[in-house]
Structures are given as C-alpha cells and as structure tokens.
Amino acid sequence: MSFARELARRALSIRLETAPPEAARIGRRAFADTLGVALAGSDASSLDALEAVLDIGAAPSQATLWGRGGRRASVLHAGLVNGTAAHALDFDDCSTTMGGHPSAPVVPVVIALAEMTGATAGKALEAWMTGVEVETRLARGLLPHHYEKGWHPTATLGVFGATAAAARMLDLNEEQMTTALAVAVSMASGLKSNFGTPVKPLHVGQAAHNGILAALVTRRGITANPEAFEHNYGFFNLFNGAGTYDADAILNGWDGPMEVLEPGIAIKQHPCCGSAHSAIDAALRIVAREGLLAAEAIERIDIRTHERRLAHTNRPEPRSGLDAKFSVQFLTARALTCGQIRLADFDDATFLTADLARLLPRVEATGHQAPDAYLGRLQVVMKDGRIFEDSASTRFGRGPSNPMSDAELRAKFTDCAAPSLGEVKAGAAFDTILSLADDDRLDVVMALVAGEEA
C-alpha cells in the first residue's frame, strides 16, 4: 500500500466525537489566535499586490478576506490572501515537532471552505485537527534534516496539512484523499532563503491555496501517482534525500496522544521569530531584576543560542521592520532597553531608534551545540563594570507546560484585531469563537470580521 494511502487512512481516522475534548478546546484557541494575527497582518502591502494581481473583484465571492474591508473572494484566493496575512507578522502559533507554524496553513483553508459549504464549527475543528496532525506527523520523520537543508516546513509540510483539512471539509473518501495528498506533493515549496522578506508569509498563503486546489481538483476527478512520496523522484528523496527520513516514524503512533495535545501547540507571546524567544526571555528576566537598561550604559551584549536557531536569526544590521523580526541582536537589545516586544516595534519608519542603532554594533551573537536546542544564554556587560547574566529555554511560544490563559490570549487577540474591528467587536469575535458549539456555524464570526452586525 502506498505511503499516501496509509497517511490518508490515518488522517480519516480522526473524529471529533472520539477526540479528547481538550483537543477541541485547543482548536478553538488556535482559530482565535490565527484569525487575530491575520487581522493584524491584513494591512501588509504584499496583500494589496496579491489582490491586484489576482483581480479578486472578478472572482466568485465565496469567502471573506479577513480585515480587508469586508471584501470576499473565491475559496482559492481567500486561502492565499488569508494564509499570507496569518503569517505576515510571524506572530502565529508554533509546533516544536513541525519546526514551524501549524495553524496558519490550515485555519484559512477550513474557514474558507466552511463559508462555502455551510459546515459546522464541529466539522471545522475536526478538519483542523486532521490538518495539524498530518503536517506534524510528517515532521516526525523528516526533521531536523528537512529544516537544516533549507526548506520552510510551515510551507513544505503545511501544504499537506492544508490538503488533508480541505479533504475533510469536502468529505473526500480514502481514495480521494490519497490522490489529493499525491497532487500536493507537486505543490510543496518554500525556502528559508526568503526568511525576513514578504515572501515568507506568501509561502503560507500558497500552501493554503494549494491545499484547497489539490482537494478541489481531486473532487473533480484528477489523478496522481499514489507513490508520489516514496518514488525515486518523490517527495522524500528529493526534499530530504536517501537515509535522511523515516516513513515509519510518520505512520506509527497514531493510536497514541494527538500532536495537538502532546507536545502541543505553542502560542507566541512575542511578535517575532520564535528562534529568538529564548534570548528575549533571558533579557526580560534581567529587566525584571535590574530594571530597564539604558542603551548608552551598555558596554556589550553577548548572546548564545543554538546554532540551528542562529542560522536564520544572525542579523546584526536589520534593514527593515520585517528583517528586525529575525534579528536576535535587535530583539534582545530591544527587550533589555524597552522591557517588551510589541507589534509597533517593527514599523519600517521607526523600528531602528537612534539609541538602538548605536548599540547594535556592540551586540554579538554566537551559536552553541548544547543538547537543549532552545536554550538561550545572555551576558550584558555595563560600562560601569557590572555584569548581568541569565538564560531561558522557550520553545517558540507558550505551550502546554506554561499555557497562556484565556484572558492573556484575549488580550493578544484584541491588540491584534482592534485596529481592524474596534475593541468591542474584537472582544465579541474572540468570545464567540471560544464559545462556539459543535453545531454552530461560523457565519456570526465572519460577520464580525467583515465589519457587519452579527
């Protein structure tokens, strides 16, 4: 039996009625968080370019474009635009297994198809569980080599999560899901060379778009090679290489805890690359003890993070607000001197203040190879001779061991969504998502997002 068939069979075994209730609760929080960060990212200039190029006004109006003035588009275009918006600020949830962002390629797919089909919240949650399970299980057998080779797993694996979620929303059977996954093999893409540019979030929009496309064309009868994963010229051998993947690790263990429960989904507290969060948190621990540090009083800052994390966060001279989101030097210095990292810190016109510009040449980042790949160590040497040191190990966000409360998540959502919706509607949208019953539809949430009266 082909790998795609085996994966499809396992994906179809996920059922809302047999899943632990905690999985559905986490799913509602993931929907809220993804929608919130997408609303915050909905004014990115790249989205204007997408709308113009796609000529969205001429396409069928099947689904809402989040935060785009109530405009609607085809489900394919909504997946592309909303998926891009969801990752535009790099503030979306994370998976340590996946080495990326599980919900951004999946939630836009599920919501767009729910709008098109009138599906219930319960079905949408089941599809989200399926999509996240598929992409993270693939990561079990492909990482770390897949990531270290230069692929962007949120896109290259997220396309399969998007496809599996779309297949569930469209009620595809096992044979059809097998085909859809094989179709998606030819649609996987996303390179780390474009981290720190608007192309990185476009990877995610493309994954969402391609997942919907793979499922829709399969439903229309397209066929593909069911051995597209394991073929000599298939996904495993081309994207990873012989001897660098383990298909059994992907297919085994589906009768154990779901990935969304263990190790779980981590919600980002800081609106920047997760690989810098340990250094940021170490800086905030120093601030909690010593108070804010004046930039002009700092002699030097020494940062040590795992070489795997440093590879894409070693940006001593960030050139834009987006680039600064991936600069461990900028982010650590900002945390030490300001005590927090906020969305407003990455405005292109104001992100590099005069004091930070003078401080950055005195910030050095080096890599370590400690067993804890998330460990960040920090030493700050002051001009008066004092030395402050601390460390932290933050796995990209607040996960099950230190979860954000609903109140904290609501505050994050409101901060993200209020510029688009206003605080009242933002709060109402959050509360509505978290209280959705399985047989509710998503219309009321989309009405709020579109700026309509619910």
Side-chain angles (χ1 to χ4, degrees):
M1 188 176 293
S2 73
F3 176 87
R5 172 80 71 168
E6 294 280 9
L7 185 59
R9 178 169 295 177
R10 286 159 176 78
L12 287 168
S13 70
I14 296 173
R15 297 288 178 186
L16 181 66
E17 59 266 24
T18 57
E22 178 67 4
R25 188 187 76 85
I26 292 170
R28 290 181 179 87
R29 286 165 57 90
F31 274 52
D33 188 59
T34 305
L35 184 56
V37 298
L39 287 169
S42 65
D43 62 353
S45 60
S46 58
L47 300 186
D48 295 332
L50 281 178
E51 281 206 44
V53 169
L54 296 171
D55 194 14
I56 278 178
S61 299
Q62 300 166 309
T64 306
L65 300 180
W66 306 341
R68 305 289 292 176
R71 293 192 292 281
R72 294 172 64 80
S74 71
V75 290
L76 287 167
H77 289 167
L80 179 58
V81 173
N82 293 338
T84 302
H87 197 53
L89 301 180
D90 218 290
F91 205 9
D92 42 316
D93 65 19
C94 301
S95 161
T96 55
T97 300
M98 187 182 179
H101 306 261
S103 291
V106 174
V107 170
V109 171
V110 171
I111 292 182
L113 289 173
E115 287 191 89
M116 185 184 85
T117 64
T120 64
K123 185 167 188 173
L125 287 167
E126 185 176 77
W128 172 81
M129 292 178 199
T130 302
V132 171
E133 210 68 15
V134 164
E135 62 196 11
T136 52
R137 297 280 175 162
L138 281 164
R140 287 188 180 188
L142 294 167
L143 268 62
H145 184 79
H146 187 82
Y147 189 87
E148 292 171 349
K149 193 171 182 179
W151 297 115
H152 180 197
T154 305
T156 55
L157 305 185
V159 69
F160 299 112
T163 300
R168 295 305 298 269
M169 293 299 294
L170 296 171
D171 294 319
L172 301 192
N173 60 29
E174 183 180 307
E175 181 177 355
Q176 290 173 314
M177 184 181 280
T178 299
T179 298
L181 290 168
V183 171
V185 165
S186 288
M187 297 178 171
S189 61
L191 308 176
K192 286 166 62 179
S193 60
N194 268 318
F195 279 17
T197 78
V199 178
K200 182 175 188 269
L202 181 59
H203 291 169
V204 182
Q206 181 173 261
H209 170 279
N210 288 348
I212 297 172
L213 179 61
L216 286 174
V217 297
T218 296
R219 191 171 68 163
R220 288 282 188 171
I222 200 170
T223 60
N225 183 358
E227 297 181 352
F229 282 93
E230 66 269 35
H231 191 278
N232 284 342
Y233 301 123
F235 184 84
F236 291 150
N237 286 314
L238 293 181
F239 277 68
N240 266 55
T244 67
Y245 63 89
D246 184 350
D248 289 339
I250 300 168
L251 296 176
N252 293 339
W254 284 68
D255 55 347
M258 297 177 70
E259 276 281 339
V260 299
L261 299 176
E262 186 181 316
I265 303 297
I267 294 176
K268 273 194 173 183
Q269 187 172 8
H270 309 302
C272 56
C273 181
S275 291
H277 282 204
S278 291
I280 293 170
D281 286 345
L284 294 178
R285 288 167 65 92
I286 291 174
V287 170
R289 291 196 314 268
E290 309 296 337
L292 294 178
L293 305 185
E296 63 271 16
I298 298 173
E299 177 66 31
R300 71 174 188 272
I301 300 171
D302 294 318
I303 307 164
R304 295 200 69 201
T305 58
H306 196 277
E307 60 184 16
R308 192 183 304 155
R309 312 292 170 216
L310 186 63
H312 54 274
T313 59
N314 186 17
R315 298 169 187 243
E317 299 177 357
R319 296 164 294 178
S320 66
L322 182 57
D323 199 31
K325 284 176 174 283
F326 294 85
S327 169
V328 71
Q329 293 93 337
F330 171 88
L331 294 164
T332 305
R334 183 85 193 186
L336 286 167
T337 57
C338 299
Q340 60 182 332
I341 304 293
R342 305 171 303 156
L343 287 169
D345 294 338
F346 302 102
D347 183 278
D348 281 339
T350 60
F351 82 96
L352 193 58
T353 59
D355 59 342
L356 280 179
R358 291 189 293 268
L359 176 58
L360 282 178
R362 306 196 297 276
V363 183
E364 183 175 357
T366 57
H368 66 70
Q369 296 180 325
D372 182 357
Y374 302 96
L375 177 65
R377 296 191 180 99
L378 182 61
Q379 182 184 78
V380 183
V381 179
M382 305 299 290
K383 289 182 177 178
D384 63 8
R386 291 178 297 162
I387 298 176
F388 305 131
E389 295 180 320
D390 219 313
S391 64
S393 181
T394 306
R395 292 176 172 259
F396 297 158
R398 299 275 294 276
S401 63
N402 181 31
M404 290 180 75
S405 67
D406 285 351
E408 288 176 313
L409 183 57
R410 191 180 197 274
K412 175 184 174 180
F413 182 92
T414 303
D415 185 43
C416 287
S420 293
L421 307 182
E423 287 197 14
V424 173
K425 283 187 178 178
F430 179 85
D431 295 340
T432 300
I433 295 170
L434 258 62
S435 63
L436 284 169
D438 292 346
D439 57 355
D440 285 343
R441 289 171 48 150
L442 301 179
D443 301 25
V444 63
V445 177
M446 288 301 101
L448 288 166
V449 170
E452 302 167 4
E453 292 300 328

